[in-house]
Amino acid sequence: MGIETAFLEFPLLETDRLLLREIYLYDAPNMFSYFSKDEVTKYYDLESFTSEKEAEDLIRRFQQRYSERKQIRWAITLRDNSDQLIGTCGFHAIEEEHYKAEIGYELHPDFWGQGIMTEVIEAVIQYGFKSMQLNRIEAFYDPRNGSSGRVLEKNGFEFEGILKKRYFEKGKFVDAAVSAILNENIR
Ligand SMILES: CC(C)(COP(=O)(O)OP(=O)(O)OC[C@H]1O[C@@H](n2cnc3c(N)ncnc32)[C@H](O)[C@@H]1OP(=O)(O)O)[C@@H](O)C(=O)NCCC(=O)NCCS
């Protein structure tokens, strides 16, 4: 038990509809299919991808940071089609000494509005609190990103405030909303 649990063997998480698994290089075409869309990158610190190689590079970075025990990112798949990545979710900015991590996520637009990310976040934060023994999970998002704020709220995250012009993204300073959930707040 503890943060190291996540890095001993890649944890497989199951929910009613989904299987969350490790991300592999063969997932690059499916990842490219959504990171090439402006509606996905609109509030993301990424320009829309123009080549599949950018997805491969991102997957390699996920794998590298996992091997350095800096972050963990799951592939989101439907239970009956676990070969097809439809999004990702995971923890980064893990600070072991503070028992804290940040959560991040994105989903292919074909699957938006079906409660999928709500189901993913529920499983991921349960894993974070129960197995990794985190005390606090926080999320930073663009205050204009209504669905991101809502999906956090549905999972019991509490809005803590706005950090003005916190990030320089795509040539502009942008505000960051911060929401968090504590171990003591979960059921
Ligand atoms: C944010 C995102 C992951 C949500 O995934 P999802 O599976 O559609 O989320 P859910 O269906 O579980 O919940 C979405 C909720 O937001 C609501 N919503 C959708 N658009 C909204 C908007 N513009 N403003 C407020 N709420 C909105 C939905 O109605 C739903 O709430 P409800 O169940 O009360 O009706 C998805 O939209 C996405 O990948 N966006 C692009 C990437 C991104 O911005 N990632 C987050 C970066 S911080």
Side-chain angles (χ1 to χ4, degrees):
M1 283 296 178
I3 283 171
E4 71 281 1
T5 335
F7 300 106
L8 297 175
E9 191 182 341
F10 198 97
L12 204 62
L13 306 180
E14 284 181 67
T15 71
D16 285 351
R17 291 179 289 174
L18 311 165
L19 190 77
L20 308 185
R21 60 154 172 85
E22 196 168 353
I23 306 174
Y24 302 105
L25 270 181
Y26 76 75
D27 292 313
N30 286 321
M31 182 180 277
F32 175 71
S33 73
Y34 64 77
F35 265 138
S36 52
K37 294 182 189 298
D38 293 343
E39 57 196 315
V40 174
T41 59
K42 189 170 177 190
Y43 300 120
Y44 225 89
D45 185 19
L46 276 180
E47 297 285 358
S48 296
F49 289 179
T50 54
S51 83
E52 236 170 71
K53 177 164 182 309
E54 290 170 274
E56 285 172 14
D57 291 344
L58 181 59
I59 292 170
R60 283 201 186 88
R61 287 205 295 280
F62 285 154
Q63 291 173 334
Q64 175 70 22
R65 289 182 199 148
Y66 180 75
S67 71
E68 295 166 355
R69 302 177 168 224
K70 286 185 177 153
Q71 71 171 50
I72 176 166
R73 197 92 182 179
W74 283 270
I76 302 168
T77 70
L78 300 176
R79 279 177 86 108
D80 57 4
N81 187 9
S82 64
D83 279 346
Q84 189 195 349
L85 170 145
I86 60 169
T88 77
C89 178
F91 295 123
H92 55 278
I94 297 171
E95 291 177 28
E96 196 155 1
E97 70 277 30
H98 298 299
Y99 299 84
K100 160 262 159 189
E102 273 179 46
I103 192 167
Y105 42 82
E106 83 287 326
L107 188 68
H108 193 298
D110 284 357
F111 298 91
W112 288 1
Q114 301 172 33
I116 289 183
M117 199 54 78
T118 303
E119 201 169 309
V120 170
I121 293 174
E122 186 182 358
V124 167
I125 65 176
Q126 284 289 336
Y127 183 80
F129 287 133
K130 300 261 160 65
S131 298
M132 295 170 75
Q133 299 190 330
L134 293 170
N135 180 56
R136 171 183 167 92
I137 298 170
E138 57 191 22
F140 292 89
Y141 55 99
D142 192 307
R144 295 166 300 176
N145 192 349
S147 53
S148 189
R150 178 74 188 124
V151 90
L152 293 167
E153 188 184 19
K154 286 206 293 179
N155 276 288
F157 281 69
E158 197 178 321
F159 174 72
E160 294 186 338
I162 304 277
L163 309 182
K164 290 184 193 165
K165 302 199 172 177
R166 169 65 175 81
Y167 296 113
F168 188 70
E169 283 178 8
K170 300 173 194 165
K172 275 194 291 216
F173 289 105
V174 292
D175 293 350
V178 55
S179 291
I181 184 166
L182 304 180
N183 197 338
E184 67 208 43
N185 298 141
I186 58 156
R187 300 172 289 275

